Amino acid sequence: MSETNPAAEQAAPHRYTAAMAADIEARWQDFWDAHGTYEAPNPTGDLAGDPAVAARPKKFIMDMFPYPSGAGLHVGHPLGYIATDVYARHQRMTGHNVLHTLGFDAFGLPAEQYAVQTGTHPRTSTEANMANMRIQLRRLGLGHDKRRSFATIDPSYYKWTQWIFLKIFDSWYDEQAAKARPIAELVAQFESGERPVPGEGRSWQGLTAAERADLLGEYRLAYASDAPVNWCPGLGTVLANEEVTAEGRSERGNFPVFKAKLRQWNMRITAYADRLLDDLDALDWPEAIKLQQRNWIGRSEGARVDFAVGEDDAITVFTTRQDTLFGATYMVLAPEHELVEKIVPAAWPEGTHQVWTGGHATPADAVGAYRKQAASKSDVERQAEAKDKTGVFTGAYAVNPVSGERVPVFIADYVLMGYGTGAIMAVPAHDSRDFAFARAFELPMRCVVQPTDGRSTDPAEWDDAFSSYDAELVNSTHGDITLDGLGVVDAKARITAWLAERGIGEGTVNFRLRDWLFSRQRYWGEPFPIVYDEDGIAHPLPESMLPLELPEVDDYSPRTFDPDDADTQPETPLSRNEDWVDVTLDLGDGPKKYRRETNTMPNWAGSCWYELRYLDPHNDTALVDPEIERYWMGPREGQPHGGVDLYVGGAEHAVLHLLYARFWSKVLFDLGYVSSAEPFHKLFNQGMIQAFVYRDARGIAVPAAEVEERDGAYFFQGEKVSRVLGKMGKSLKNAVTPDEICAEYGADTLRLYEMAMGPLDVSRPWDTRAVVGQFRLLQRLWRNIVDEATGETTVVDAEPDEETLRALHKAVDGVSQDMAAMRFNTAIAKVTELNNHLTKAGGALPRTVAERLVLLVAPLAPHIAEELWRKLGHTESVVHRDFPVADPAFVVDETVTCVVQIKGKVKARLEVAPSITDAELEALALADEGVVAALGGAGIRKVIVRAPKLVNIVPA
């Protein structure tokens, strides 16, 4: 804690204290607001400003959207905000027009759950939370253009979220053009016959309205479908795959998640899978995030193969090892596969192995029971490498297309509908999961890849499958096709061509990525601008009816259920508001009755495009002015896809927000609304500020601030407690608020401490006791320029000595490089070193040194910098002053110590110029008296010179 000393304060009434810091900071924050100091001019429109500023190189710097929590900020939250602010300030001082602002991602589950518990309308609690956060953020001295701030719950904002949804709904992906196109162009192709309507003898003109709607739904980028979804009874809503944890539970609330089949809205993000992969290469993102996106998209090359089953049906599989087709001895369908019910016979085939039946009298009983069991597991649980493999025989057989053999068809939960075709050909000899399943169900195995590890070719003797891409095929000949003796690559090519010639397969690419589930059974979200007619056909609302505002309801809660009850169905809060749901509208063909969509959009919708709203926040006639978008985000050298220049946030959004936002950007780019095909060019993931969590004997967290340390142990109210480093949070009773630190030391001290704790991308523990170190740095800075007794500056109009000049310019050079590279911890270290040098040198600072010192500090500690700049006689803000530039002549050391060795032993030390050449240094070393004496007249076999620091002489 900062200390107060009344006697010292009386002797030094103008000392930099917490009280003085509070006064300085409040005054300058008021000044910045009153003068629009951080307002960034657009090239045109209502936010156009000084053309000279708009003509500068631009920098668009963004933080990830904060959610306005009722708990407010703790000191971990502002880490990224302070970092982007420091970087933005440095960019302004180096001649850039900087756009830096912050809004609020204000729809979502926490506010709704609070509303359910308290009866407070989510808007009321959310707006109160935003007001509190704005106060906290302002106190940090963040240089935001406040004219551009907004919240996703503003109808003027979500009008455009709804508008974008409608554009996606009214689009399809043209694979030949590799881009989205308006759905009207697809309709024109069907109408003209350019594109045939699927189905023999069908024409567009002959389709009913419902049939046309169903057909277009198979192409639309936003579509409703009956599909397996992640149903969470405990939350009363469905969840996207990305919102389900590795344990198969909801990310929010930690409730069990089950598979269910429901009609929901989806985004056809899979159409963009290749582009989402390919365009990663040109982005300046951490490789770890790129890898996570690549793995999530999961591109794999292989083949589609049809296995005939029954009279008229075929099971289609996708495999990356089509070379092992001769080794497929059974098949497995996902329990949800649509063919299951169709192929299940009335009775078990004669000779059915008892272990295949699961103890059930009929295939239908076995399949029904197993499906119910599988529905209670998440996808993650189903894919886990469980010791015991489960499944059941369907009673049906398929035909292996290369060998002609009948192979039994099972269902098993380790096969998912969400990947490939929901069916696999099982090659147990060469796949570990298939091997375990075959052993459990006593199924045959055939070796078709020659083992290279010394084992036999009889899988009955193996302990596990053999899998290799560097081996030859065996036992793979039938009729007119043989793969024997071929390597894997050649075998793949031959079998793929053979399948394609016969129309029973083809080479293809598959993706792990699934379409994005876009419906939520919640109240606090954007309403869908969709209505349904009496035939259930979806109609988009015209733009003139946007925004479709969220109605008032008495009951905000979706119907929730026993978290473990999978046999439940969603019931949305909006569905209970009949006056809003049932409406009569004129959509262009006269008044008709319609029913509104009662799901709402997921909380990710608003953050898919918010970077665009920052550019042109008051535009009520267009998503964004094209000239403004092109100015701030358009493609340029080094940024071929355009996008935000710097985007800072947590790594936890690698495959949620970031993937979704990229998809929306690409659709808007294809349709011509934006010039940037990517939303964020450079991504930086800040680390986490951690804190110690103290727990008593019961394992319950106790208040960290009340824990005492004695002899290396920790005690709370006399009882010993454990300590572990973890997250900071209210529930863990270890949160420290920025308000506390600002009150104790000032915002500039908090800013310096958070930036000095370590590299920005590394997590680090919070230590309140260490904050005082940065407070003392600011006090020394103040004393170097201001007389604590009078409050007047002590600088002099004199030339600095050479030692001071060298210290100054080295600091300027180092800090400049560190600021540009976001190495703020080392920048602070260099400022500290310079400040200490000036303190030790004593005497009054030359004005030129004092001014450059203040400018160096300005991005990091802007309030004290403004105050000192004003005391130094300047009337303008320091914010737009030029950052100091180092003189190269003073950056280089005047001399360097060169070590001269003979036989590895030091014989002389020479003070030489850093720019000395090898030849000059060799001559100097050989002429040195100590070297001449050490050689004693001996000849020289070799001289190794490493100017300017080393000469190594090897005598003859």
Side-chain angles (χ1 to χ4, degrees):
M1 296 179 66
S2 62
E3 299 173 0
T4 58
N5 184 327
E9 288 182 6
Q10 190 172 2
H14 297 279
R15 174 169 294 170
Y16 185 80
T17 61
M20 179 183 282
D23 174 65
I24 289 171
E25 288 163 6
R27 280 193 288 107
W28 282 105
Q29 287 158 18
D30 289 343
F31 176 91
W32 295 329
D33 285 350
H35 291 80
T37 302
Y38 303 108
E39 293 178 359
N42 279 345
T44 187
D46 69 313
L47 298 185
D50 186 346
V53 177
R56 296 173 183 170
K58 63 87 189 179
K59 279 288 180 186
F60 184 6
I61 298 166
M62 266 183 68
D63 303 276
M64 287 190 183
F65 245 172
Y67 184 83
S69 163
L73 300 176
H74 60 61
V75 292
H77 293 123
L79 177 66
Y81 305 151
I82 295 170
T84 52
D85 186 63
V86 173
Y87 183 75
R89 290 175 180 277
H90 179 254
Q91 291 297 306
R92 287 191 195 94
M93 296 177 76
T94 53
H96 294 83
N97 182 21
V98 176
L99 193 168
H100 189 211
T101 190
L102 196 69
F104 295 94
D105 191 11
F107 275 127
L109 202 54
E112 186 172 289
Q113 288 178 319
Y114 183 76
V116 171
Q117 294 164 7
T118 64
T120 307
H121 194 287
R123 180 175 290 279
T124 302
S125 59
T126 301
E127 288 180 344
N129 295 342
M130 287 192 292
N132 180 51
M133 282 184 68
R134 284 193 179 99
I135 292 169
Q136 290 185 298
L137 292 167
R138 184 180 189 270
R139 195 169 186 182
L140 296 172
L142 303 178
H144 293 149
D145 184 343
K146 295 181 180 179
R147 304 170 303 167
R148 299 174 183 263
S149 185
F150 55 81
T152 54
I153 61 175
D154 300 338
S156 60
Y157 179 81
Y158 69 72
K159 165 187 175 178
W160 295 105
T161 308
Q162 293 171 338
W163 182 90
I164 296 171
F165 172 83
L166 291 178
K167 294 303 173 187
I168 298 174
F169 174 76
D170 275 330
S171 300
W172 63 293
Y173 196 80
D174 183 344
E175 293 185 359
Q176 288 187 325
K179 62 180 290 188
R181 295 172 60 185
I183 203 76
E185 296 180 15
L186 179 65
V187 171
Q189 291 182 10
F190 283 133
E191 284 178 336
S192 67
E194 176 188 345
R195 180 182 293 267
V197 173
E200 190 173 344
R202 299 174 83 209
S203 69
W204 180 259
Q205 289 74 14
L207 299 182
T208 66
E211 288 171 333
R212 290 179 179 182
D214 288 344
L215 176 58
L216 294 179
E218 295 175 15
Y219 291 84
R220 292 186 188 275
L221 290 178
Y223 64 95
S225 70
D226 293 315
V229 296
N230 300 305
W231 165 235
C232 181
L235 291 176
T237 189
V238 298
L239 301 172
N241 290 338
E242 296 87 346
E243 295 172 303
V244 181
T245 68
E247 292 74 36
R249 304 178 77 84
S250 61
E251 190 178 48
R252 288 194 181 275
N254 196 37
F255 292 112
V257 177
F258 305 95
K259 278 295 176 187
K261 201 162 189 178
L262 300 170
R263 190 161 186 81
Q264 302 289 306
W265 281 99
N266 298 272
M267 292 277 183
R268 208 178 299 276
I269 191 173
T270 49
Y272 283 82
D274 272 321
R275 285 170 61 185
L276 289 168
L277 271 177
D278 295 343
D279 289 354
L280 281 171
D281 294 338
L283 299 182
D284 185 3
W285 285 19
E287 282 304 317
I289 300 295
K290 288 185 179 183
L291 180 61
Q292 285 185 68
Q293 289 221 349
R294 289 188 180 109
N295 290 342
W296 191 263
I297 296 167
R299 187 183 194 277
S300 53
E301 295 186 13
R304 174 185 61 77
V305 186
D306 293 335
F307 285 69
V309 58
E311 291 288 327
D312 305 310
D313 294 310
I315 297 172
T316 301
V317 302
F318 170 80
T319 176
T320 59
R321 290 301 302 268
Q322 60 268 40
D323 55 301
T324 64
L325 196 47
F326 280 95
T329 57
Y330 66 97
M331 301 190 75
V332 183
L333 303 181
E336 306 89 354
H337 198 289
E338 60 184 9
L339 269 181
V340 172
E341 291 177 3
K342 194 171 183 181
I343 64 174
V344 170
W348 294 114
E350 187 176 345
T352 295
H353 201 311
Q354 187 63 33
V355 75
W356 294 4
T357 68
H360 292 278
T362 67
D365 291 344
V367 167
Y370 190 79
R371 278 179 143 181
K372 189 170 184 178
Q373 173 188 328
S376 67
K377 296 182 181 179
S378 71
D379 285 358
V380 177
E381 288 176 302
R382 286 168 56 169
Q383 287 185 297
E385 294 294 335
K387 184 177 179 182
D388 298 322
K389 292 297 178 188
T390 65
V392 69
F393 180 40
T394 63
Y397 284 84
V399 178
N400 186 315
V402 290
S403 67
E405 295 177 351
R406 293 172 76 238
V407 294
V409 180
F410 284 74
I411 59 170
D413 59 13
Y414 76 92
V415 177
L416 306 176
M417 279 307 298
Y419 182 76
T421 63
I424 66 164
M425 62 175 212
V427 184
H430 307 294
D431 180 274
S432 294
R433 289 191 307 172
D434 295 346
F435 184 95
F437 190 91
R439 277 284 163 88
F441 289 88
E442 301 176 23
L443 288 156
M445 304 187 199
R446 180 179 296 111
C447 174
V448 294
V449 180
Q450 181 67 48
T452 56
D453 58 0
R455 69 174 79 185
S456 73
T457 57
D458 183 3
E461 301 174 4
W462 299 355
D463 294 323
D464 195 6
F466 171 77
S467 180
S468 174
Y469 278 85
D470 188 21
E472 291 184 351
L473 276 291
V474 295
N475 301 324
S476 297
T477 297
H478 182 79
D480 61 350
I481 178 68
T482 180
L483 305 179
D484 291 345
L486 295 178
V488 171
V489 173
D490 291 339
K492 281 186 175 185
R494 180 172 294 182
I495 193 64
T496 301
W498 186 88
L499 291 166
E501 287 170 8
R502 285 152 184 78
I504 53 174
E506 63 179 349
T508 189
V509 174
N510 196 57
F511 295 91
R512 178 179 179 268
L513 181 68
R514 297 296 92 199
D515 281 346
W516 173 18
L517 179 68
F518 201 69
S519 295
R520 297 295 182 274
Q521 289 67 48
R522 310 295 306 195
Y523 167 70
W524 194 232
E526 297 91 340
F528 281 93
I530 293 288
V531 292
Y532 299 92
D533 64 23
E534 293 177 343
D535 295 323
I537 299 173
H539 296 267
L541 292 181
E543 187 175 331
S544 61
M545 291 187 181
L546 301 183
L548 172 60
E549 295 197 29
L550 194 63
E552 297 295 323
V553 297
D554 295 326
D555 182 4
Y556 314 115
S557 58
R559 186 180 177 193
T560 56
F561 304 90
D562 180 333
D564 296 308
D565 187 357
D567 295 325
T568 47
Q569 290 279 321
E571 179 187 293
T572 65
L574 290 180
S575 66
R576 298 191 286 266
N577 188 338
E578 293 183 6
D579 291 341
W580 182 82
V581 173
D582 296 312
V583 290
T584 298
L585 301 172
D586 185 349
L587 301 184
D589 53 356
K592 292 183 180 178
K593 291 183 178 180
Y594 295 95
R595 181 174 177 81
R596 296 195 191 278
E597 171 63 70
T598 60
N599 288 309
T600 53
M601 298 186 198
N603 61 300
W604 307 104
S607 59
C608 275
W609 71 282
Y610 70 122
E611 70 283 356
L612 297 173
R613 193 62 175 174
Y614 284 151
L615 308 182
D616 197 10
H618 311 134
N619 196 330
D620 60 359
T621 60
L623 177 71
V624 61
D625 182 288
E627 184 180 347
I628 294 172
E629 187 273 335
R630 196 161 45 248
Y631 172 85
W632 288 111
M633 290 185 63
R636 61 204 66 218
E637 186 177 353
Q639 298 179 206
H641 303 305
V644 173
D645 297 291
L646 175 66
Y647 192 41
V648 175
E652 66 271 17
H653 294 298
V655 295
L656 283 161
H657 157 63
L658 289 174
L659 199 59
Y660 299 156
R662 293 183 65 214
F663 165 56
W664 277 38
S665 283
K666 291 186 183 305
V667 177
L668 291 171
F669 172 77
D670 286 355
L671 298 176
Y673 295 110
V674 298
S675 65
S676 48
E678 286 284 343
F680 315 115
H681 171 69
K682 180 177 176 63
L683 174 69
F684 189 97
N685 296 130
Q686 88 270 18
M688 183 188 298
I689 288 184
Q690 300 170 302
F692 287 110
V693 183
Y694 299 88
R695 298 186 184 276
D696 61 19
R698 301 167 298 167
I700 296 174
V702 301
E706 299 175 32
V707 172
E708 298 177 353
E709 181 180 357
R710 298 200 298 267
D711 300 324
Y714 303 93
F715 296 86
F716 173 70
Q717 296 179 351
E719 299 292 327
K720 193 172 182 179
V721 294
S722 64
R723 184 180 84 158
V724 64
L725 191 62
K727 282 186 174 183
M728 182 179 285
K730 190 176 180 181
S731 64
L732 297 173
K733 299 182 181 178
N734 63 355
V736 178
T737 70
D739 306 35
E740 297 172 54
I741 303 302
C742 288
E744 196 67 37
Y745 299 104
D748 281 340
T749 295
L750 173 63
R751 290 169 61 102
L752 280 174
Y753 177 66
E754 293 216 358
M755 294 299 96
M757 291 172 75
L760 186 59
D761 58 350
V762 175
S763 294
R764 72 295 301 270
W766 176 268
D767 183 359
T768 300
R769 293 168 300 180
V771 177
V772 71
Q774 300 306 318
F775 183 61
R776 288 172 181 155
L777 165 62
L778 294 179
Q779 289 183 313
R780 288 192 296 271
L781 169 68
W782 183 266
R783 278 197 300 271
N784 274 332
I785 297 173
V786 178
D787 186 315
E788 293 182 335
T790 67
E792 300 298 318
T793 60
T794 56
V795 299
V796 294
D797 292 320
E799 290 298 316
D801 59 60
E802 188 168 327
E803 185 180 358
T804 296
L805 279 173
R806 291 193 177 280
L808 172 65
H809 285 281
K810 281 185 179 181
V812 169
D813 181 61
V815 171
S816 296
Q817 294 182 48
D818 289 343
M819 286 285 188
M822 300 179 70
R823 296 189 298 262
F824 304 128
N825 59 319
T826 54
I828 292 170
K830 292 177 175 69
V831 169
T832 304
E833 186 179 353
L834 172 62
N835 199 52
N836 289 345
H837 167 84
L838 299 174
T839 302
K840 290 175 185 174
L845 290 188
R847 174 175 291 277
T848 55
V849 174
E851 290 185 341
R852 288 171 182 166
L853 176 61
V854 170
L855 292 172
L856 275 185
V857 168
L860 295 155
H863 307 91
I864 194 173
E866 289 276 29
E867 189 73 6
L868 290 172
W869 192 246
R870 184 61 60 93
K871 283 184 174 292
L872 287 168
H874 301 282
T875 57
E876 79 284 5
S877 168
V878 75
V879 169
H880 295 288
R881 294 291 298 186
D882 291 341
F883 201 74
V885 177
D887 184 337
F890 292 106
V891 171
V892 179
D893 286 329
E894 189 173 14
T895 61
V896 176
T897 302
C898 174
V899 173
V900 183
Q901 296 179 335
I902 300 176
K903 292 184 178 179
K905 294 184 178 179
V906 178
K907 297 300 180 181
R909 285 185 170 84
L910 310 175
E911 293 300 314
V912 301
S915 58
I916 193 169
T917 66
D918 285 0
E920 290 170 337
L921 188 57
E922 180 177 341
L924 202 62
L926 294 176
D928 182 83
E929 292 181 4
V931 172
V932 171
L935 286 171
I940 297 172
R941 182 161 62 88
K942 192 175 186 180
V943 179
I944 302 167
V945 182
R946 297 286 184 269
K949 293 188 175 181
L950 177 68
V951 176
N952 196 0
I953 301 170
V954 182

